[in-house]
Amino acid sequence: MAFFEGVKMTGGYGTGPDIINSCSINVNRGEIVSILGPNGAGKSTAMKALLGLINLKSGSIAINGKDISKLSPQDRVREGISFVPQTKNVFAGMSVEENLEMGAYLREGDYQNIIDEIYELFPILKEKRNQLVGELSGGQRQQVALGRALMIKPSVLMLDEPTAGVSPIVMDELFDHIIKVKRTNVAILMVEQNAKQALNISDRGYVLVTGENRYSGTGKELLNDPRVRSSFLGG
Amino acid sequence: MDFLNAIILLLNYIFVPALTYGSQLALGAIFVTIIYGILRFANFATGDMMAFGTMVTILITWYFQSIGISLGVLPTALLAIPFAIFFMIGYMLFVDKFVFRYYRVNKSPPVQLAMVSIGVMFVTQAVVRIIIGPSDRRFFDGEKFIIKAGEFKEMTGLNEGLAIKSSQVLTIFITLILVSILFWFLNKTKTGKSMRAYSDNEDLALLSGIDPKRVVMITWIIAGILATIGGALYGLDKSFKPFTYFNNMLPIFAAAIVGGIGNPFGAFLGGYVIAFSEIFITYAYKKFFMYILPESMEPETLVQLLSTDYKFAVSFSILVIVLLYRPNGIFKGKVL
């Protein structure tokens, strides 16, 4: 049994049609798992289902053996699941340090040592600690977003397209940061458009098509699978 | 000597009154801007909520006066304000629970909430008029002036007198203290920061575990404090007439928008921008020019750009100009 898993999840937005169908995803601590697939495959929806942002018609979600299917997103955050949305993932009108403090909102007591750890992980943030996040570059903002999500010391970190809209160099840098986070024994689940690069750093991957699991395997297996290559990786 | 007289004239008729009026507007504008930033709607009941807070202050003041409590040289109303604040906070939370909450839970669009606030405005207005009536009331007691015009003239030997009313000093003093506490709260405390975070990015605030119910409650508590103090200070300085409070909503909204709506510091400065513009434009400068110009050039007319009856046109024009050329305000608020 995996550390964090969604089993046979089915559901969609509001009363609309089902977007994911009997979709199963799991991730262990210290592992990076990517969810890939064409546009409209339900990648982000699957992630939102795991976080509780959409209501499931069937299926269950468990962390560390504990069923959390009925918990609200806020309560899931308390269980140690952190989420970085694709857009609007920082408090643009607040300083870097304030963003991190807000990430630690649920933590009781002193969290200065966690802020220091984040600064060690992302040195650039220490330099810009008092600057407004809205004034930072795209890559730096993503680091703030990651930092904010790490402030609760999550056991599971979910990233929705962390490299969307950043340049290739910044993308590599961000992936490096994500690997560093993984080494702190966090389970990382991410949705990615840049499939090749994502699979390169992933331990495992899932390919979703129309809301269902189509292929799954280790990053290497998927990269070398001719069917996956031809349909999603561009040959 | 004439030059000094001219300066005293401007101080007496423009600077001191505008600073006072600006402080009163600033409190209202911060009220508007905080509600807009956090609850995301334009609260048209602002003016009447301030009237309500003032009415409660007046009623408590009367009670204190009837049992013989007074603050000596200071107005008794100062003693009544804390009690009125408690009452007002209760009123705000009551209105939120039975009116606004329903629309917030159903995620109604901001326009709908603004319309709902107009309903609240009518009801509040009616309640105020039923309880205390529509007429003009003065509830200032204690020592009226800190410096009287006559004394000032004697002291300095100038032709022009500078009169400073204690209500003016009180207004400016209390506003500065209140606003400093508010900014300290918003910028330095965890709860204050969580309110700013909620205003900045609601979804992410929820994902960070910030409790929306708590944020909304504290917003209304702050609103109750601002409405009562802002309204009571205005009433002490001028007089209490419910209709005037309703009218004041235009300059208050103008101040909030000039400063950048959703930005409390902008609203604070916006209050002074509106007050100074209104008074600068509607003041009759004849006497001022009589002091500084040689006799041959003395103006024949009043040299008044706009009659004081049209003072609302000033805030309205500023509002239109800001919305046309800088819709997010001077200090970067949200774009309307």
Side-chain angles (χ1 to χ4, degrees):
Chain A
M1 197 162 157
F3 182 72
F4 179 54
E5 60 183 350
V7 182
K8 295 200 161 55
M9 300 180 291
T10 303
Y13 296 95
T15 52
D18 291 346
I19 299 183
I20 49 173
N21 266 313
S22 179
C23 173
S24 296
I25 284 162
N26 65 57
V27 57
N28 278 311
R29 295 192 87 145
E31 193 181 41
I32 299 180
V33 172
S34 301
I35 308 176
L36 310 167
N39 285 333
K43 304 182 294 280
S44 295
T45 312
M47 194 172 264
K48 282 177 186 159
L50 288 168
L51 194 73
L53 290 172
I54 63 169
N55 294 322
L56 287 182
K57 286 180 185 153
S58 64
S60 66
I61 296 147
I63 182 166
N64 207 5
K66 183 183 173 192
D67 187 17
I68 54 165
S69 312
K70 295 279 176 282
L71 291 188
S72 70
Q74 281 89 321
D75 289 332
R76 290 184 205 204
V77 174
R78 282 201 179 85
E79 293 291 328
I81 302 169
S82 222
F83 177 59
V84 180
Q86 181 181 352
T87 52
K88 290 182 72 181
N89 50 20
V90 288
F91 299 112
M94 301 174 82
S95 72
V96 171
E97 187 140 327
E98 282 172 338
N99 265 268
L100 297 181
E101 283 172 26
M102 284 302 107
Y105 187 78
L106 286 177
R107 285 200 86 80
E108 319 237 316
D110 192 33
Y111 44 74
Q112 192 53 46
N113 56 329
I114 310 176
I115 293 187
D116 292 337
E117 278 173 39
I118 304 281
Y119 284 153
E120 226 166 273
L121 210 56
F122 309 110
I124 186 78
L125 298 188
K126 186 165 191 178
E127 225 171 276
K128 312 237 169 190
R129 60 203 294 172
N130 293 322
Q131 212 165 326
L132 285 188
V133 174
E135 295 165 357
L136 299 182
S137 72
Q140 289 164 353
R141 264 191 218 212
Q142 290 299 62
Q143 294 184 31
V144 174
L146 276 176
R148 184 206 60 82
L150 289 172
M151 283 301 292
I152 60 159
K153 289 247 169 188
S155 45
V156 177
L157 180 63
M158 298 205 279
L159 310 169
D160 194 354
E161 307 216 8
T163 63
V166 300
S167 72
I169 298 173
V170 176
M171 186 172 79
D172 287 342
E173 205 183 302
L174 277 175
F175 278 141
D176 283 346
H177 285 306
I178 293 172
I179 293 171
K180 270 197 254 169
V181 174
K182 163 194 153 169
R183 294 211 181 102
T184 61
N185 201 27
V186 174
I188 298 178
L189 190 63
M190 62 176 182
V191 165
E192 256 304 331
Q193 287 287 348
N194 300 305
K196 258 186 213 169
Q197 289 88 338
L199 283 177
N200 264 328
I201 66 156
S202 297
D203 296 286
R204 284 187 298 125
Y206 292 93
V207 177
L208 301 190
V209 178
T210 59
E212 293 171 34
N213 292 61
R214 179 65 61 90
Y215 310 109
S216 59
T218 65
K220 258 203 192 101
E221 273 167 19
L222 286 176
L223 268 178
N224 297 327
D225 188 325
R227 294 167 307 177
V228 176
R229 288 184 78 94
S230 64
S231 33
F232 309 118
L233 302 179
Chain B
M1 210 54 163
D2 275 359
F3 182 69
L4 265 181
N5 273 323
I7 289 188
I8 295 297
L9 185 73
L10 290 188
L11 268 180
N12 192 31
Y13 287 101
I14 296 185
F15 191 75
V16 176
L19 211 55
T20 315
Y21 180 44
S23 306
Q24 291 149 358
L25 289 185
L27 292 179
I30 296 174
F31 176 10
V32 165
T33 232
I34 284 185
I35 297 284
Y36 187 89
I38 290 170
L39 304 174
R40 287 164 229 281
F41 70 91
N43 180 16
F44 284 96
T46 305
D48 290 292
M49 281 171 166
M50 291 172 86
F52 196 98
T54 316
M55 176 189 76
V56 178
T57 311
I58 294 176
L59 294 178
I60 297 173
T61 307
W62 284 347
Y63 173 72
F64 281 157
Q65 284 169 342
S66 75
I67 57 172
I69 296 176
S70 85
L71 279 180
V73 289
L74 293 170
T76 315
L78 285 187
L79 204 60
I81 284 176
F83 296 95
I85 286 175
F86 274 112
F87 188 89
M88 224 19 220
I89 289 173
Y91 178 75
M92 294 288 192
L93 294 175
F94 175 82
V95 170
D96 182 67
K97 186 166 167 50
F98 290 100
V99 184
F100 292 121
R101 204 179 80 100
Y102 173 81
Y103 297 92
R104 190 169 56 242
V105 170
N106 288 331
K107 300 210 183 301
S108 303
V111 170
Q112 201 174 347
L113 272 158
M115 293 302 118
V116 169
S117 79
I118 292 181
V120 172
M121 172 189 97
F122 282 128
V123 174
T124 311
Q125 216 166 60
V127 170
V128 169
R129 277 161 215 216
I130 289 168
I131 295 178
I132 203 165
S135 53
D136 212 345
R137 285 173 200 279
R138 292 176 187 278
F139 58 105
F140 187 91
D141 53 4
E143 188 60 49
K144 200 155 191 234
F145 288 97
I146 288 181
I147 304 176
K148 282 190 182 136
E151 287 170 0
F152 183 84
K153 281 185 206 168
E154 259 173 46
M155 234 158 53
T156 55
L158 292 169
N159 287 338
E160 281 304 319
L162 176 64
I164 297 181
K165 290 195 283 179
S166 48
S167 61
Q168 292 173 324
V169 175
L170 277 176
T171 298
I172 296 167
F173 189 64
I174 293 177
T175 303
L176 288 181
I177 292 179
L178 186 63
V179 168
S180 320
I181 294 175
L182 182 68
F183 288 137
W184 170 81
F185 172 75
L186 288 175
N187 292 315
K188 296 282 180 246
T189 65
K190 189 173 170 184
T191 311
K193 283 180 193 174
S194 75
M195 291 177 67
R196 279 167 56 222
Y198 187 86
S199 155
D200 189 311
N201 187 338
E202 189 179 339
D203 293 332
L204 196 64
L206 297 180
L207 283 176
S208 305
I210 293 169
D211 181 6
K213 283 187 199 129
R214 198 174 125 92
V215 169
V216 169
M217 189 181 84
I218 294 169
T219 307
W220 283 116
I221 291 176
I222 295 176
I225 297 172
L226 288 171
T228 314
I229 297 184
L233 289 176
Y234 186 87
L236 277 177
D237 186 41
K238 293 168 175 95
S239 70
F240 174 70
K241 191 180 182 190
F243 185 66
T244 323
Y245 281 68
F246 170 72
N247 263 344
N248 277 344
M249 217 143 62
L250 180 62
I252 284 176
F253 266 82
I257 290 167
V258 165
I261 193 137
N263 179 339
F265 188 68
F268 174 61
L269 292 185
Y272 294 102
V273 170
I274 296 292
F276 273 91
S277 325
E278 255 185 29
I279 294 179
F280 267 131
I281 291 177
T282 56
Y283 179 65
Y285 289 92
K286 182 174 183 180
K287 221 171 166 191
F288 173 73
F289 285 118
M290 279 166 63
Y291 279 122
I292 57 164
L293 293 179
E295 223 161 297
S296 58
M297 285 169 69
E298 262 172 31
E300 305 269 304
T301 58
L302 279 174
V303 205
Q304 187 177 21
L305 289 170
L306 210 60
S307 148
T308 41
D309 292 341
Y310 293 111
K311 66 174 189 170
F312 287 117
V314 178
S315 16
F316 197 70
S317 317
I318 296 175
L319 194 60
V320 170
I321 293 167
V322 168
L323 285 177
L324 279 178
Y325 295 104
R326 212 181 151 88
N328 53 3
I330 303 172
F331 300 98
K332 262 208 220 156
K334 294 182 172 134
V335 179
L336 281 179

